Amino acid sequence: MIDALPEKGVPGEQILAELRELRGGDLPTHGGRLFAYVYDPALDGLDDLARAAHATSAHVNGLDPTAFPSLLAMENALVAAAATVLHGGPETVGSVTSGGTESLILAVKAARDAHPEIARPRLVVPATAHAAFAKAAHYLRVELDTVPVKDLRADPVAMAAAITPETVLVAASAPSYAHGVVDPIPELAAIAAERGVRFHVDACFGGWILPYLRRLGADLPDFDLAVPGVTSISVDLHKYAYAPKGVSILLHRDEALRRPQYFAYADWPGYTMINPVISSTRSGGPIAAAFATLRSIGDTGYLELATRTREAVAMLAAAVEETDGVRLYAPPETSVVCLAADGVDLFVLADELAARGWHTQPQMAYADLPPTIHLTVTAAVHETVADFAPDLTAAVAAARARGPVELPELPPLTPEMITPELIASLAEGLGLAGGDFTQMAMVNSILNAAPPALREALLTGFLSFLQRPMTQ
């Protein structure tokens, strides 16, 4: 383990060499072969520009915009850009957050705090809504009503039936992360408006690319602030706007809707704390990097990136359809290809794809939905997609030859039984204790077989096992 606090300072070149060595063990963030976590436009010079812009404002503090008006100007410019892309009006306001989860938490907070008279506020979401809504409900002590979906999309009838007098917010996705399909936003927004309830569109994942896909002819429903009844919408700039992490935008239709989002406190001897978002101190670096990224790419550039992404999605989907042993699980209507396995072990297939340089995101079974593999497709995939079909064929053949994972005999477990000692023993037995995560089929199969509460406990225990300092 590298000592972060040596007795004497270490030369800068040595430190950078150490960082490069550490980064050598990561999955590739560029090159179009990682289908999750990162977004790569494959534009020459963009990384250098973003790093330089980040450096100009890395030490600027967003806590007080009167001290650093440069950051205020950049934030307002980013909000204006998002409002333009998402059809906001002259009254639209917004905030820059650190990511989609913070944007969703703040959307829930604003809705909750707009109704202090409701003792037990409730949030209604479809079962395919992002897990960040559950996190928001947990943090804010809002009751979460999760509604079953119909054909992978929110069911307006079921969503309407779930709304009660205590409901402060209804939310849906454009698109859902797991499957990449867009919920029926106009119908849902109309229902919420009729009941006098705020309606939030989680467009964190696709909000920057869906407008461009529609301009290219994609048959997608209306989903943004042009839809009556939509009171707020979120979009991550570090996704399909291709800004460095982490920058997201939360838009509200007007200032009155946003006001409960703020936190203010003056009843102490120090400065009056006024925060539009969760953080107080905020580095200006990510905001400056996002500002530079948007100005560098421009509207025409984003349309071209969407064109390349759309073509890559079509080619990936065709590869899946032409390969015996896998099938498309959801329509590839946005920027996601979601596939299921037929006759091969899906988690073994994910390992075989990784062995061939394609890093995917396996998704566990949920209710009556089978396990699937999620591919987030970015513009960079356009350059590598021609190699995917033969590798998929080879990976399916290898997975079929290996056969399905045979689960080991495990004692009956409950979440309460998950101890640090048990996690350490499991990690050792599964070959994870040394930090090798290249063979995950057995691990994913065990997690897939576990009920959600047990899966949560196992993964929480394992993450805690990883996040601890090691003695030298």
Side-chain angles (χ1 to χ4, degrees), residues 27 34-37 177-179 337-341 345-354 358-366 370-376 437-448 455 459:
L27 294 180
L34 175 56
F35 291 105
Y37 309 121
Y177 178 82
H179 306 114
V337 174
C338 182
L339 61 97
D345 189 310
L346 181 125
F347 301 120
V348 174
L349 174 60
D351 277 0
E352 290 295 335
L353 284 169
W358 302 98
H359 306 284
T360 65
Q361 190 169 51
Q363 300 179 141
M364 309 301 160
Y366 172 79
T372 55
I373 286 178
H374 167 104
L375 308 179
T376 291
F437 309 130
T438 58
Q439 297 294 316
M440 298 295 291
M442 177 63 76
V443 175
N444 286 327
S445 295
I446 292 173
L447 293 172
N448 186 62
R455 189 186 308 161
L459 285 172

Side-chain angles (χ1 to χ4, degrees), residues 423-433 442:
I423 290 294
S425 175
L426 287 173
E428 184 69 33
L430 293 170
L432 302 177
M442 177 63 76

Side-chain angles (χ1 to χ4, degrees), residues 53-126:
H54 189 288
T56 65
S57 300
H59 297 288
V60 171
N61 190 344
L63 175 63
D64 185 353
T66 66
F68 303 103
S70 67
L71 193 59
L72 177 64
M74 287 186 281
E75 287 191 273
N76 283 338
L78 291 175
V79 168
T84 298
V85 170
L86 297 172
H87 296 104
E91 301 299 317
T92 298
V93 294
S95 303
V96 179
T97 76
S98 64
T101 294
E102 184 178 3
S103 290
L104 296 186
I105 290 174
L106 288 169
V108 176
K109 179 193 181 299
R112 183 199 68 175
D113 290 359
H115 292 282
E117 77 282 3
I118 298 179
R120 296 179 64 86
R122 310 189 74 90
L123 164 64
V124 174
V125 298

